[in-house]
């Protein structure tokens, strides 16, 4: 009966809507009609653009972060020119989103200004009608860097600049990026130095000209420019690998010899892992400054990294090698759906758990094998990842593959990308980091399973050489599909890898894959005492990490920084941004809430006084499990596969 009534109500509403439309039309009021769609932008074709674009960047106003760009574009025989501003970067699943930093756009033909119009649909496309006989069009515009991190990434300061060509060029629509030739040049602030993977550099005064390259190579080759810079050779066999360091002061350019030694070992270990390389030289570009960045991009022949001034004196030294691993995984071997014809076709992140998850896995492995990270550091990292992702309730409604697309939904994640957005409930929603870190756990599972099934004769290293080490020396990307991935794994160790992977990345209602942790000879255990690393972190921050017990983390002032979906804190009604004023009537302190949790019982809720804005209210938090912290524990009597994975290769 209920179904019948619902159906009748729906039919009645549709009839009423039709009657209203008919009455309006009969009364002489026209119904709105959709505006016809404009002519679409010409899709890219694999044909050569006629002529070479000349691109000149004036970067002398580094103090204010104003770059002035001049282009000369051949247009012989054309009636209309459509230029595109790059919206995507090869090898990066997140759009740069800097179109709003373009200003002062002017087109000229023989000194006479030409009117231009923005495409009404494709906001990064600009149309110019050309008079008969036009040969070349001059294009001028400015690219305006944020001067404050409150506006965006600070990539231009009085002492250093990260010149990323994708934000400094307009290019013709209708062509593959690899079929457009560009002759680039840059004018540097007086006396500054530079480094880039671009070749053929000639310098006259402060003007540096590079050999003409295709557009895809150009955007793959940023320029580091700085007042103070130093280059260190990490390897010259078989090709040069360099560490290029820029700093705010000359004294900060010094990289300790022991750090260089670790980096050199990591390059050597990468060659042992992959068995080949896909660059003719590689530059790790590192900016050291407290007011620069965040800067991070990876390319086939370089990687950009912005770090605090004291980075090389700290303990975390492995970040530059994440991009280095991408030179094999993600840049050379790229998921087929992520390779695009030009810089304005959006990639599909269907294999982000390989692109990023496997890179995370090998980045950690290579750090340990080279000594960049100690074995203890590596175990702490696995403990942190396994415990943080052991409970992901979002897997009950969406797949890890679908979460990989979150990078596009969120336009990145602000934990990694400054332009991204945080989520209110990340463990329920899942996000970009799941592809990275859950992917990392899946690849540990694969590595240990290969070792187990082959009785130790094979490992993921064999897959690395067979899949990423092919075509040694080639710089032509080699796209792959899911089926190619499965075939390569089967070539190492026959198994139903397709079902194995589908169960983990394409299934709903699953748990986080911790089988690799178990097979490696370890397990997650829980106690009422935090690990040394977590205790040190809490002591330094003054906060309380209670996510594994009641499901909440708080800063030193009692502000809630995270709440676990479905936890006791979640059931009580706590949300991010709320502030705990008191615990059982006592003013909030980390020690006070920890004591209350330790003494809590099911029949005695913890009473919290909470403030949200100008409103205060009380909450009752029921919990009987006491304090709970994770520990990665070795299982006696089992093979220590993780130890073997982390051992350097001879």
């Amino acid at each position: 009966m209920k179904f019948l009534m619902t159906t009748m109500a729906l039919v009645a509403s549709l009839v009423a809507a039709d009657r209203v439309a008919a009455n309006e039309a009969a009364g002489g009021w026209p119904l709105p009609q959709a505006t016809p769609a404009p002519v679409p932008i010409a899709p890219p074709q694999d044909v050569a653009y006629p002529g070479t674009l000349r691109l000149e960047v004036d970067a002398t106003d580094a103090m204010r972060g104003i770059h002035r760009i001049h282009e000369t574009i051949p247009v012989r025989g054309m009636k209309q020119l459509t230029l595109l501003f790059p919206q995507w970067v090869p090898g990066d699943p997140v759009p740069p989103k800097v179109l709003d930093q373009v200003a002062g756009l002017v087109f000229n033909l023989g000194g006479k200004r030409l009117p231009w119009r923005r495409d009404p649909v494709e906001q990064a496309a600009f149309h110019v009608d050309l008079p008969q006989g036009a040969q070349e069009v001059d294009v001028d515009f400015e690219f305006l860097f944020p001067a404050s991190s409150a506006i965006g990434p600070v990539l231009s300061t009085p002492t250093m600049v990260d010149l990323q060509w994708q934000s400094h060029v307009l290019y013709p629509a209708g062509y593959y990026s690899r079929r457009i030739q560009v002759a680039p040049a840059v004018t540097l602030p007086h006396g500054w130095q530079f480094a880039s993977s671009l070749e053929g550099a000639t310098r006259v005064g402060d003007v540096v000209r590079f050999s003409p390259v295709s557009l895809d190579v150009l955007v793959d080759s940023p320029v580091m420019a700085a007042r103070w810079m130093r280059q260190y050779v990490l390897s010259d066999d078989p090709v040069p690998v360099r560490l290029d360091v820029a700093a705010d002061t000359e004294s900060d350019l010094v990289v300790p010899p022991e750090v260089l030694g670790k980096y050199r070992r990591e390059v050597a270990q990468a060659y042992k892992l992959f068995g080949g390389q896909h660059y003719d030289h590689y530059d790790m570009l590192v900016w050291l400054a407290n007011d620069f960045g965040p800067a991070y991009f990876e390319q086939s022949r370089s990687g950009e990294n912005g770090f605090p001034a004291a980075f090389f004196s700290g303990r975390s030294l492995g970040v530059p090698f994440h991009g280095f691993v991408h030179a094999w995984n993600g840049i050379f071997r790229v998921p087929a759906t992520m390779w695009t014809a030009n810089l304005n076709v959006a990639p599909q992140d269907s294999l982000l758990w390989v692109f990023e998850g496997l890179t995370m896995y090998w980045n950690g492995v290579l750090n340990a094998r080279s000594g960049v990270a100690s074995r203890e550091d590596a175990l702490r990292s696995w403990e942190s990842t396994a415990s943080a992702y052991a409970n992901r309730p979002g897997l009950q409604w969406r797949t890890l593959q679908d979460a990989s697309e979150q990078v596009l939904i969120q336009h990145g994640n602000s934990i990694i990308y400054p332009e991204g957005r945080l989520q209110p409930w990340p463990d329920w929603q899942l996000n970009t980091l799941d592809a990275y870190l859950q992917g990392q756990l899946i690849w540990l599972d694969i590595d240990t399973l290969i070792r187990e099934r082959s009785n130790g004769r094979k490992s993921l290293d064999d897959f690395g050489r067979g899949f990423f080490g092919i075509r040694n020396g080639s710089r032509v990307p080699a796209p792959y599909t899911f089926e190619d991935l499965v075939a390569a794994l089967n070539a190492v160790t026959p198994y139903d890898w397709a079902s194995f992977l589908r169960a983990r990345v394409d299934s709903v209602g699953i748990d986080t894959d911790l089988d690799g942790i178990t097979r490696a000879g370890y397990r997650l255990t829980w106690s009422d005492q935090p690990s040394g690393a977590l205790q040190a972190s809490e002591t330094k921050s003054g906060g309380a990490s209670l996510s594994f017990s009641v499901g909440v983390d708080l800063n030193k002032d009692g502000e809630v920084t995270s709440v676990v979906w479905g936890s006791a804190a979640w059931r009580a009604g706590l949300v991010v941004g709320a502030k705990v004023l008191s615990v059982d009537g006592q003013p909030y302190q980390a020690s006070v809430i920890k004591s209350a949790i330790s003494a809590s019982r099911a029949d005695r809720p913890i009473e919290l006084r909470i403030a949200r804005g100008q409103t205060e209210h009380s909450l009752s938090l029921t919990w009987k499990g006491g304090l709970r912290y994770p520990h990665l524990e070795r299982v006696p009597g089992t093979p220590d596969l993780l130890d073997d994975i982390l051992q350097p290769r001879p």
Side-chain angles (χ1 to χ4, degrees), residues 53-59 67-72 138-143 163 165 168-170 182-188 207-210 218:
L53 282 63
R54 300 195 299 277
L55 173 63
E56 300 177 353
V57 175
D58 181 348
H67 283 191
R68 294 172 174 85
I69 296 97
H70 177 78
E71 290 186 72
T72 302
D138 292 313
V139 184
D140 292 276
F141 64 95
E142 293 101 30
F143 184 77
L163 196 167
W165 296 103
H168 290 65
V169 64
L170 295 173
V182 184
V186 57
T187 303
L188 302 174
V207 178
V208 181
R209 298 190 180 278
F210 301 95
L218 178 70

Side-chain angles (χ1 to χ4, degrees), residues 124-156:
F126 304 88
H127 302 291
V128 180
D129 293 324
L130 301 173
Q132 187 174 2
Q135 300 293 310
E136 292 182 333
V137 169
D138 292 313
V139 184
D140 292 276
F141 64 95
E142 293 101 30
F143 184 77
L144 309 177
F145 288 95
S148 166
S149 59
I151 301 174
V154 179
L155 301 181
S156 180

Side-chain angles (χ1 to χ4, degrees), residues 207-223:
V207 178
V208 181
R209 298 190 180 278
F210 301 95
S211 298
V213 293
S214 60
L215 179 63
D216 60 340
V217 172
L218 178 70
V219 300
D220 193 55
S221 310
V223 174

Side-chain angles (χ1 to χ4, degrees), residues 233-271:
V233 176
L234 301 182
S235 176
D236 54 14
D237 183 20
V239 296
V241 177
R242 302 176 287 245
L243 176 68
D244 303 311
V245 181
D248 277 338
T249 66
E250 193 169 13
S251 60
D252 285 341
L253 295 174
V254 177
V255 180
E258 61 271 20
V259 173
L260 290 174
K262 293 175 181 179
Y263 281 12
R264 287 165 180 151
R265 288 195 294 273
E266 183 139 359
V267 173
Q269 287 295 319
Y271 287 152

Side-chain angles (χ1 to χ4, degrees), residues 472-527:
N472 185 27
S474 171
R475 291 176 51 204
V476 178
Y480 66 89
T481 63
F482 176 84
E483 290 71 25
D484 295 329
L485 193 73
V486 168
L489 287 168
N490 274 315
V492 176
T493 300
Y495 189 63
D496 187 2
W497 291 111
S499 297
F500 173 95
L501 291 171
R502 294 296 187 197
R504 286 157 178 78
V505 303
D506 283 333
S507 299
V508 174
I510 62 172
D511 294 323
T512 299
D513 184 5
L514 298 181
D515 291 351
I517 296 288
T518 303
R519 197 179 295 109
Y522 290 80
R523 64 188 170 203
L524 272 180
T525 61
W526 307 89
S527 78

